[in-house]
């Protein structure tokens, strides 16, 4: 018997298929972070980052409702998005660690509002929060880009849960 709320194998199969279908869309990988007025910082790896508007420059990303970083993002007026470069692939393990020691030993500087920004990122977007909208099991953060920078090195690409260098064959 299936109790209310428990998923059935067919549902699990469908959910897996859905994730695999989403995995057909190649993305980059970014570390998004923020700091509260009390000095508490948090950040997490994301691939839900996207550009929304060029004029004014606006971007969005999505935060899962179960993320332990939520209390920080909920009150911070700014956030910073560090797009990982291909040379930062080795940082993925560190940036997946439990929140308490996620940034231990990771080279960062303080960005807008004190948000930790990864040194040597492929690009950095420092943003003020415009709106936060609940959408299913995520909050959608829309931000206005106040400052940005980019490096010349290649970004890290993500496809179907794997990471690598972008190679566009003509
Ligand atoms: C490549 C990659 C992309 C991810 N993208 C997102 C995302 O867009 N939004 C999100 O909330 N979590 C995303 N996650 C999961 C978070 O990085 C993190 O593991 C999760 O929020 C749980 O940790 P936390 O509770 O410390 O936040 C992603 C993880 C990886 C490895």
């Amino acid at each position: 018997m299936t109790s209310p709320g428990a998923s059935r194998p067919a549902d699990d199969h469908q959910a897996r298929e859905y994730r695999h279908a989403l995995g057909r869309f190649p993305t980059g990988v970014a570390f998004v972070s923020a700091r509260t007025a009390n000095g508490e910082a948090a950040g997490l790896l994301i691939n839900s980052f996207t550009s929304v508007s060029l004029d004014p420059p606006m971007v969005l990303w999505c935060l899962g409702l179960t993320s332990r970083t939520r209390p920080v993002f909920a009150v911070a007026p700014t956030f910073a998005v560090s797009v990982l470069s291909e040379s930062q692939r080795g940082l993925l393990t560190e940036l997946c660690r439990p929140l308490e020691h996620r940034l231990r030993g990771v080279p960062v500087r303080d960005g807008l509002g004190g948000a930790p920004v990864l040194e040597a990122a492929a690009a950095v977007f420092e943003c003020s929060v415009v709106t936060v909208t609940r959408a299913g099991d995520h909050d959608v953060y829309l931000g206005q880009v106040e400052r940005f920078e980019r490096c010349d090195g290649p970004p890290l690409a993500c496809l179907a849960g794997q990471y690598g260098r972008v190679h566009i064959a003509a």
Side-chain angles (χ1 to χ4, degrees):
M1 195 176 88
T2 308
S3 58
S7 59
R8 294 181 294 116
D11 295 339
D12 292 348
H13 174 74
Q14 185 66 4
R16 239 184 347 264
E17 283 299 309
Y18 182 60
R19 279 197 296 274
H20 285 158
L22 290 173
R24 304 299 295 166
F25 188 59
T27 66
V29 189
F31 182 73
V32 61
S33 63
R35 191 182 294 277
T36 66
N38 298 339
E40 194 187 349
L44 73 161
L45 282 176
I46 58 159
N47 64 351
S48 55
F49 173 70
T50 192
S51 165
V52 176
S53 163
L54 294 178
D55 186 14
M58 298 170 100
V59 296
L60 72 70
W61 64 282
C62 305
L63 178 61
L65 298 185
T66 58
S67 171
R68 293 186 56 218
T69 64
R70 276 188 81 216
V72 168
F73 285 107
V75 298
T78 62
F79 62 81
V81 178
S82 304
V83 177
L84 268 70
S85 61
E86 201 266 332
S87 64
Q88 290 177 312
R89 186 181 181 148
L91 281 184
L92 288 173
T93 312
E94 277 91 333
L95 297 176
C96 285
R97 288 183 300 206
L99 188 53
E100 294 72 25
H101 14 265
R102 194 163 288 167
L103 283 177
R104 197 180 54 209
V106 175
V108 291
R109 64 168 172 82
D110 276 358
L112 188 66
V117 168
L118 297 184
E119 297 283 10
V124 175
F125 301 90
E126 298 174 58
C127 306
S128 51
V129 175
V130 176
T131 58
V132 183
T133 310
R134 179 69 56 84
D137 56 8
H138 280 65
D139 278 331
V140 181
Y141 279 77
L142 179 68
Q144 173 146 335
V145 179
E146 308 291 354
R147 303 199 294 233
F148 72 94
E149 63 186 56
R150 72 177 172 93
C151 291
D152 283 335
L156 184 63
C158 175
L159 177 63
Q162 299 200 294
Y163 307 96
R165 177 190 284 253
V166 181
H167 175 73
I168 309 283

